[in-house]
Amino acid sequence: MSSVRLSGGRVIDPTQALDDRVMDLVLRDGRMAAADYAGPVTTTLDASGCVIMAGGIDMHTHIGGGKVNLARMLMPEDHRAGLDPLPLPAPLAAATQALELPSCGRCTPGTLATGYRYVEMGYTAAFEPAMVAANARQAHLEMGDTPILDHGAYVMLGNDELMLQMLAEQQDFGLLRDYTAWTLHASKALGVKVVNPGGISAFKFNQRRLDVDEAHGHWGVSPRRVLHTLARALHDLGVPHPLHIHGSNLGVAGNIGSTLQTIAALEGLPGHLTHVQFHAYGREGPKKFSSAARELAEAVNTHPNISIDVGQIMFGQTVTASGDTMRQHAQAGLASPRKWIGGDIECEAGCGVVPFRYREQSFVNALQWAIGLEIFLLVRNPWQVVLTTDHPNGGPFTSYPHLIRLLMDRSFRNEQLARLHPDVAAHSALGEITRELTLREIAIMTRAGPARLLGLRDRGHLAPGAAADIAVYRDQPDRERMFATPQWVFKDGALVAEAGRLLAMPVGGTHFVEPEYDRGIERVLRRHWARHGSVNFDHQAIGRDELCHCANGGRLLPAACFERTPA
């Protein structure tokens, strides 16, 4: 039996009201030992002068599935050191450590580099937010190829023709709920995501816009009905993670109205609004583009059923990869470099991949940057906010340490604001906001909050019995340097990184849910696939043994569903 004592560190664990307590922690056989553990230990590490947190959890990062591979293929210059014609930071170099295999890329790193770079920052889990049921195996294979990190994915619903047809025919809600549960089972997903509800399907019928209360041109169904039906289904099934919502009109000036209507459509049911920076725009000012961060933050502050992640943009080159074909088609003319990909996937969903470069001297880009920071700082309850860049859409996940410094250091934030397009400060409240996030709030937004939202009961905290996923940071005034390179990182009790050097490569586990449902729905699905599917229905579902194979032999970590009273 192995055990490690971390001696004299400052523990930040909001779930236990440990906001800055100097104490010892003991890791024993992959779990946190009792606080009064007095038995022998194999190793003692002096953590004095260090801040100890649970391992980081990124609950929205595009790391597996078809569109991620399309993004990698579309941007070969991102993977070729010394051959990039644009003035970009050098792509990640080839492996320099004995345990690393060659893997590179900055905007969309390869699967191996993704695991390496996350762990080097103290993250121990990451979740793909847009898995299509038709290529769920591919997504699980890629995540299984990503070393060390636990992982999981949210399956996409709400644009598949079967669900829209069932809604149009006003079929019994129980059938829609069972279809949702079967899809979770078949794809071995942790939750459900809806992207531009009904809008991807509408785009196939040449509809270029679909607001919350507009009717789908073919099915006659509104996004409001899609949203409420899916949110209610997940609530009734007891799925821990609420509906993961990519709302209508992403990136469109004035879309704050659609975002507020999306919140209203839930009628008090739990909902998680993702990359909300792209959904918090007004039409004020001379350029008809303004910040609506205050309106959004007030809505979140008054709706405890709502949680958000921000999708902060970071300046520089990236590539946007989204299931929102409608919006990606509209943005394709802004591609930099000038190339893009759009596609349909088995009549279930779609995707668009558009390279983009966010520029400090662009008024729109700079105001987007300010809007994201405003949202972080104006939402009062940190348990309702998750730190993300919507990797790679707003920027690469490797920019998280820089983002954390912006949130914790007002003077640094104002220095960056002063470098931007001169009109931004005049049209943004950011310079007036005095709030600086604390270490406790950062721990909530990057650890405890995501774990709670995903139903990961033994992750995101350091209580006895929790998984020993731990990041130990040398306390430094420069929070960017501090969070860029932890002193030690443990995964399930194993020391996997020290001072930026990888020491072990365990295989991460797969999180998923298996809600109960009436197997009678399979007769409906079998008829639909026989008429419209290109894959045999009997080959759709991924069994546990196959999932273990896809996950490279990693542990299967089913999340328990909650007991709920049907809505």
Side-chain angles (χ1 to χ4, degrees), residues 372-391:
L373 296 175
E374 288 174 357
I375 295 169
F376 273 117
L377 299 167
L378 291 172
V379 174
R380 290 191 291 268
N381 182 0
W383 290 96
Q384 290 179 269
V385 188
V386 176
L387 187 144
T388 67
T389 60
D390 186 21
H391 166 83

Side-chain angles (χ1 to χ4, degrees), residues 108 159 213 247-248 250 374 378 390 410 481 494-495 518:
T108 49
N159 280 285
D213 288 306
S248 306
L250 177 143
E374 288 174 357
L378 291 172
D390 186 21
R410 186 194 179 200
R481 292 187 62 187
L495 182 61
D518 184 344

Side-chain angles (χ1 to χ4, degrees), residues 171-195:
Q171 295 198 27
D172 182 74
F173 170 74
L175 289 175
L176 288 154
R177 181 188 58 218
D178 290 336
Y179 174 35
T180 302
W182 177 88
T183 305
L184 286 163
H185 265 273
S187 62
K188 290 297 180 285
L190 184 60
V192 170
K193 182 183 185 184
V194 60
V195 176

Side-chain angles (χ1 to χ4, degrees), residues 250-272:
L250 177 143
V252 177
N255 63 10
I256 184 61
S258 301
T259 304
L260 298 180
Q261 285 301 310
T262 295
I263 294 173
L266 295 171
E267 298 180 6
L269 290 165
H272 179 86

Side-chain angles (χ1 to χ4, degrees), residues 56-62 118 123 125-130 152-154 190 241-242 244 272-274 307-309 385-388 400 445-447 449-454 456:
I57 299 172
D58 193 343
M59 67 173 285
H60 187 108
T61 176
H62 296 279
Y118 262 118
Y123 276 73
F127 294 86
E128 163 58 47
Y154 323 136
L190 184 60
H241 186 45
H244 202 90
H272 179 86
L273 275 59
T274 191
S307 59
I308 62 173
D309 63 73
V385 188
V386 176
L387 187 144
T388 67
Y400 286 173
M445 293 180 181
T446 60
R447 282 126 167 112
R452 178 180 291 184
L453 283 167
L454 296 174
L456 310 182

Side-chain angles (χ1 to χ4, degrees), residues 247-464:
S248 306
N249 297 316
L250 177 143
V252 177
N255 63 10
I256 184 61
S258 301
T259 304
L260 298 180
Q261 285 301 310
T262 295
I263 294 173
L266 295 171
E267 298 180 6
L269 290 165
H272 179 86
L273 275 59
T274 191
H275 43 63
V276 292
Q277 180 280 134
F278 292 106
H279 301 271
Y281 302 154
R283 290 198 184 97
E284 306 302 320
K287 300 183 186 296
K288 305 301 181 184
F289 180 78
S290 61
S291 170
R294 287 193 182 278
E295 294 95 316
L296 176 63
E298 185 57 31
V300 176
N301 289 336
T302 55
H303 288 82
N305 60 307
I306 296 298
S307 59
I308 62 173
D309 63 73
V310 173
Q312 177 68 35
I313 76 150
M314 308 301 285
F315 297 115
Q317 181 70 49
T318 190
V319 55
T320 64
S322 172
D324 195 343
T325 322
M326 177 186 283
R327 298 312 317 155
Q328 291 293 78
H329 176 269
Q331 300 297 324
L334 302 175
S336 176
R338 299 279 292 180
K339 50 186 175 180
W340 76 288
I341 297 172
D344 172 68
I345 304 171
E346 298 291 340
C347 293
E348 288 185 13
C351 73
V353 181
V354 181
F356 195 79
R357 183 172 178 79
Y358 294 103
R359 296 178 293 115
E360 291 183 348
Q361 293 307 306
S362 160
F363 171 76
V364 170
N365 294 167
L367 188 56
Q368 288 176 302
W369 175 88
I371 290 169
L373 296 175
E374 288 174 357
I375 295 169
F376 273 117
L377 299 167
L378 291 172
V379 174
R380 290 191 291 268
N381 182 0
W383 290 96
Q384 290 179 269
V385 188
V386 176
L387 187 144
T388 67
T389 60
D390 186 21
H391 166 83
N393 293 297
F397 65 81
T398 47
S399 59
Y400 286 173
H402 181 72
L403 174 55
I404 289 172
R405 185 180 180 189
L406 288 169
L407 296 172
M408 297 189 70
D409 187 339
R410 186 194 179 200
S411 61
F412 177 71
R413 185 165 69 232
N414 286 341
E415 288 173 7
Q416 306 307 301
L417 180 62
R419 296 170 46 185
L420 306 183
H421 188 288
D423 290 341
V424 170
H427 292 86
S428 169
L430 184 60
E432 304 166 10
I433 300 175
T434 60
R435 181 182 178 188
E436 296 178 321
L437 298 190
T438 64
L439 286 171
R440 173 183 179 273
E441 290 170 320
I442 294 297
I444 292 172
M445 293 180 181
T446 60
R447 282 126 167 112
R452 178 180 291 184
L453 283 167
L454 296 174
L456 310 182
R457 299 179 182 179
D458 64 346
R459 315 283 156 154
H461 63 88
L462 301 172

